[in-house]
Amino acid sequence: MFFLILLVFVLCNSNGLVSSLNTEGFTLLSFKQSIYEDPEGSLRNWNSSDETPCSWNGVTCKEQKVVSISIPKKKLYGFLPSSLGSLSDLRHVNLRNNRFFGSLPTELFQALGLQSLVLYGNALSGSLPNEFGKLKYLQSLDLSQNFFNGSIPTSIVQCKRLRTLDLSQNNFTGSLPDGVGTGLVSLERLDLSFNKLNGSIPSDIGNLSSLQGTVDFSHNHFTGSIPASLGNLPEKVYIDLTYNNLIGPIPQNGALMNRGPTAFIGNPGLCGPPLKNPCSSNTPGASSPSSIPFLPNNYPSQDLDNNGGRTGKGRGLSKGAVIAIIVSDILGICLVGLLFSYCYSRVCACSKNKDESGYVFDKGGKGRQECLCFRKDESETLSENVEQYDLVPLDTQVAFDLDELLKASAFVLGKSGIGIVYKVVLEDGLTLAVRRLGEGGSQRFKEFQTEVEAIGKLRHPNIVTLRAYYWSVDEKLLIYDYIPNGSLATALHGKPGMVSFTPLSWSIRLKIIKGIAKGLVYLHEFSPKKYVHGDIKPSNILLGHDMEPHISDFGLGRLANIAGGSPTVQSTRVAAEKPQERQQKSAPSSEVATVSSTNLGSYYQAPEALKVIKPSQKWDVYSYGVILLEMITGRFPVVQMGTSEMDLVQWIQLCIEEQKPLADVLDPYLAPDVDKEEEIIAVLKIAMACVHSSSERRPTMRHVSEALSRLAVSSSD
């Protein structure tokens, strides 16, 4: 069949008889023939007149052999041909975020050297072939956000080198294959959420000691009890078991210990801490070691005779023992009373001569001690009580309590190294965003309270408002206003699984640009401490109903550190990655678009941030400049140049040096706004000033905001 396809190409191509295109080139031309729509012309330079396909867009070769096909996010509409499996040296396939349909051809698994298969965000369907076991070198498998069904092939456990397994948001059914925990020993990321998987969670999952981040079993139909072996996973791993049909007590060991209730909600049959639903004696597994109450060694036992009856030894306490206990209790009460009287005599009573702080100092005769008293109405509530388990409002408009919050409908908005963010809808319709910082860690409550209350005082239309917080030993929550239109990153670039994508017009982009500037001016100039945000990037800019921008995550890294979490960034200083670590380990090295928004964060960082310990407001100015360039060009902050990478700032500087026309730099979605060219160029000049390599040469955000205001006035003349 494959040779018949080649023959058809030779006969149909006018240059076929003289073409010297090699066999792999014809294989890729058969792939091109399977594409019905290519709206962006991504395969335009795939021509049979070339000797090899190595210069074609999205194709990478090594020693004239195709090793990578990477064409993500190009709206390609078609199916995957079986001929791809004949590329014997193929290592990486990345066709994410296109519109491929149909099933996964079994012939694809003839490419035995395949290391990464990234197909998420398409419309692929059908069951997965059992040939996965042939891919002994497979390290990354991401089939999320498709329509695959059937069971997960049992042969997947033979992929011993697999590091990433993401099958989320499909229609998989059945139970997990036997041996997942013993076979996939290299697994670092596991996401099975939003499927229809059932059966019990295998106990051998606890053997996956390399797992990181979140292990996601949520939104499935898993049944049975939670295996205690899950506690053997690394303690920093967050195990998401929400919305299944799990039952019984929650094991309290290892990675399962001190977890908040948010990891287990949606399982009515679960009981025991951290849930408020206590386990009854009839609950399956309630007699497990984790739920046995502690008994002192001297707990009076009732000895049994050989027939099972109680002996005389165990008939209870003797009369003498009861009397001794009563006498000791009376003596203890007397001692406490004497101690209280002594302490009371040493403390002076509060008089009317108090100063404004509520303290009184007795300056009496020699030997008199200095003492102080608090006013009865002085509020020393949460700050004096770390074990307070109640919601702390930071705004007088907060009219809900903790119970209402916990009973509300919750939806996961996103996950990161700093925790999970939920959209929470209260019974009265009020919508909030709740960030869960995590559980455990250091208990520096005073420090946390100081930081969170300072953040809660910030009030500006372009900064997300922190309304309340919750602190307990095993749960820390931050409650914000909910901003409905997602992040600027999504508005600019879309995201996997988006059904439709509406590009931002220039007028909307300019509105967002000015709003971000105003928010930063407030932080830098008018906030109580003239703050530095330190982590400005599109994913931290949220868009409201009218597309007004709201800066989020201010101070988040600092709070996560105090709360004992493991943040990926800090608000005062972003921890940069090494260039070679900016991409996900499992992603194809030739494709930048696979980099997560978290890993892209270092590209927004000012170059001097790695050398200077004290944060500067000019760091935020640099980050803001990169965002402006991203909004003008529509590109990510790292640009692919053939087989090499270049950050967006360097790329723009190169374009300016080569005097390329604006059309080569401009986001194609801005083509209808050609009449705004002067305005766009003016913003580009502001951006280049913001990303100057010397921090002293960068403008302040106030100057930037004023320049943008003048620009708006001049453009309306």
Side-chain angles (χ1 to χ4, degrees), residues 289-310:
S290 62
S291 59
I292 295 177
F294 170 77
L295 298 178
N297 292 332
N298 61 349
Y299 186 79
S301 61
Q302 292 185 333
D303 297 334
L304 299 177
D305 60 20
N306 294 333
N307 297 322
R310 291 185 177 87

Side-chain angles (χ1 to χ4, degrees), residues 396-676:
T396 55
Q397 298 178 5
V398 173
F400 55 90
D401 57 24
L402 184 62
D403 286 337
E404 290 178 83
L405 194 68
L406 295 178
K407 293 177 183 177
S409 301
F411 312 89
V412 176
L413 290 176
K415 302 175 183 178
S416 71
I418 299 185
I420 301 179
V421 181
Y422 296 88
K423 175 185 177 182
V424 175
V425 183
L426 303 182
E427 288 184 354
D428 62 359
L430 178 64
T431 306
L432 302 164
V434 178
R435 180 179 286 276
R436 179 177 180 271
L437 286 182
E439 57 293 307
S442 60
Q443 304 303 318
R444 293 143 51 188
F445 174 75
K446 285 282 192 178
E447 195 175 354
F448 183 91
Q449 183 191 35
T450 301
E451 290 286 336
V452 79
E453 290 184 354
I455 296 170
K457 292 177 182 177
L458 300 179
R459 292 291 184 272
H460 190 272
N462 297 114
I463 297 178
V464 178
T465 302
L466 179 62
R467 297 292 181 187
Y469 70 99
Y470 171 79
W471 169 287
S472 73
V473 173
D474 52 1
E475 195 72 46
K476 290 90 181 171
L477 304 176
L478 301 175
I479 297 91
Y480 298 89
D481 284 344
Y482 173 71
I483 311 299
N485 278 328
S487 71
L488 177 59
T490 300
L492 282 175
H493 307 295
K495 65 178 181 179
M498 285 186 72
V499 179
S500 61
F501 177 70
T502 304
L504 298 176
S505 66
W506 175 250
S507 60
I508 294 295
R509 296 188 197 207
L510 186 59
K511 178 180 182 179
I512 294 170
I513 286 169
K514 292 191 290 185
I516 300 171
K518 291 176 182 176
L520 287 175
V521 170
Y522 171 78
L523 279 179
H524 290 183
E525 303 281 352
F526 303 106
S527 60
K529 296 184 180 180
K530 296 187 177 182
Y531 291 110
V532 176
H533 187 289
D535 193 23
I536 294 293
K537 55 189 176 184
S539 59
N540 286 345
I541 308 296
L542 306 181
L543 303 176
H545 285 291
D546 55 354
M547 302 303 284
E548 187 73 16
H550 301 262
I551 299 172
S552 71
D553 288 5
F554 170 70
L556 186 59
R558 172 71 175 158
L559 290 175
N561 277 333
I562 297 172
S566 301
T568 55
V569 295
Q570 297 181 17
S571 63
T572 55
R573 178 171 175 80
V574 184
E577 299 167 300
K578 297 178 182 178
Q580 64 269 26
E581 294 175 345
R582 285 172 174 163
Q583 288 181 300
Q584 295 174 343
K585 294 179 181 179
S586 58
S589 60
S590 60
E591 181 45 53
V592 176
T594 57
V595 182
S596 69
S597 59
T598 301
N599 289 337
L600 283 175
S602 58
Y603 288 95
Y604 297 96
Q605 187 180 27
E608 75 273 12
L610 289 175
K611 305 173 185 177
V612 182
I613 297 177
K614 185 178 180 180
S616 164
Q617 293 179 350
K618 295 299 180 73
W619 295 9
D620 288 346
V621 175
Y622 184 94
S623 302
Y624 177 79
V626 179
I627 292 176
L628 295 192
L629 295 178
E630 192 170 347
M631 296 181 76
I632 292 171
T633 65
R635 294 174 178 266
F636 286 95
V638 56
V639 180
Q640 188 73 28
M641 301 289 290
T643 57
S644 61
E645 299 173 8
M646 180 180 293
D647 69 61
L648 184 56
V649 174
Q650 294 173 329
W651 182 78
I652 288 287
Q653 290 169 342
L654 182 63
C655 291
I656 293 173
E657 290 172 5
E658 295 178 355
Q659 297 184 348
K660 290 189 175 182
L662 181 64
D664 290 356
V665 175
L666 202 62
D667 186 344
Y669 287 126
L670 292 178
D673 296 296
V674 289
D675 57 325
K676 302 290 185 180

Side-chain angles (χ1 to χ4, degrees), residues 140-446:
S140 178
L141 178 63
D142 193 338
L143 305 179
S144 59
Q145 299 178 39
N146 280 285
F147 299 98
F148 289 114
N149 53 36
S151 59
I152 298 173
T154 56
S155 65
I156 196 77
V157 301
Q158 299 173 27
C159 301
K160 305 291 186 182
R161 302 189 184 190
L162 198 61
R163 293 183 177 181
T164 296
L165 178 59
D166 192 341
L167 304 178
S168 61
Q169 300 186 49
N170 279 284
N171 296 311
F172 288 113
T173 56
S175 57
L176 294 183
D178 293 334
V180 170
T182 53
L184 303 181
V185 291
S186 301
L187 207 59
E188 296 176 357
R189 181 187 172 202
L190 178 61
D191 192 344
L192 304 173
S193 60
F194 292 92
N195 279 288
K196 300 174 183 177
L197 296 168
N198 53 39
S200 59
I201 296 175
S203 59
D204 62 3
I205 295 288
N207 297 329
L208 301 177
S209 58
S210 297
L211 283 174
Q212 303 172 9
T214 297
V215 177
D216 204 335
F217 296 100
S218 67
H219 296 270
N220 279 286
H221 304 308
F222 287 114
T223 57
S225 59
I226 300 174
S229 58
L230 288 187
N232 297 332
L233 294 176
E235 289 193 6
K236 289 187 177 181
V237 168
Y238 178 77
I239 306 170
D240 193 340
L241 299 171
T242 56
Y243 298 100
N244 280 284
N245 298 315
L246 299 168
I247 61 172
I250 299 170
Q252 294 296 301
N253 64 306
L256 290 169
M257 258 186 105
N258 300 321
R259 295 293 179 189
T262 50
F264 308 101
I265 58 175
N267 293 278
L270 287 179
C271 62
L275 303 177
K276 294 184 177 180
N277 177 29
C279 294
S280 66
S281 58
N282 297 326
T283 302
S287 60
S288 62
S290 62
S291 59
I292 295 177
F294 170 77
L295 298 178
N297 292 332
N298 61 349
Y299 186 79
S301 61
Q302 292 185 333
D303 297 334
L304 299 177
D305 60 20
N306 294 333
N307 297 322
R310 291 185 177 87
T311 66
K313 299 179 188 176
R315 289 184 297 175
L317 296 174
S318 65
K319 183 177 179 181
V322 172
I323 293 173
I325 291 173
I326 294 174
V327 171
S328 62
D329 286 344
I330 293 173
L331 289 174
I333 293 172
C334 292
L335 272 173
V336 171
L338 289 172
L339 182 62
F340 178 78
S341 299
Y342 172 78
C343 292
Y344 185 79
S345 66
R346 301 283 294 179
V347 179
C348 61
C350 293
S351 68
K352 295 181 180 180
N353 299 323
K354 297 176 184 177
D355 63 5
E356 292 181 359
S357 65
Y359 301 116
V360 58
F361 295 90
D362 189 346
K363 303 293 184 181
K366 189 175 181 180
R368 298 287 298 274
Q369 296 201 357
E370 195 172 72
C371 46
L372 59 89
C373 303
F374 288 104
R375 289 193 301 262
K376 289 184 179 180
D377 60 345
E378 187 164 10
S379 58
E380 292 289 331
T381 54
L382 192 60
S383 62
E384 293 299 313
N385 185 9
V386 174
E387 297 299 321
Q388 177 75 33
Y389 294 95
D390 202 359
L391 200 68
V392 182
L394 299 172
D395 192 304
T396 55
Q397 298 178 5
V398 173
F400 55 90
D401 57 24
L402 184 62
D403 286 337
E404 290 178 83
L405 194 68
L406 295 178
K407 293 177 183 177
S409 301
F411 312 89
V412 176
L413 290 176
K415 302 175 183 178
S416 71
I418 299 185
I420 301 179
V421 181
Y422 296 88
K423 175 185 177 182
V424 175
V425 183
L426 303 182
E427 288 184 354
D428 62 359
L430 178 64
T431 306
L432 302 164
V434 178
R435 180 179 286 276
R436 179 177 180 271
L437 286 182
E439 57 293 307
S442 60
Q443 304 303 318
R444 293 143 51 188
F445 174 75
K446 285 282 192 178

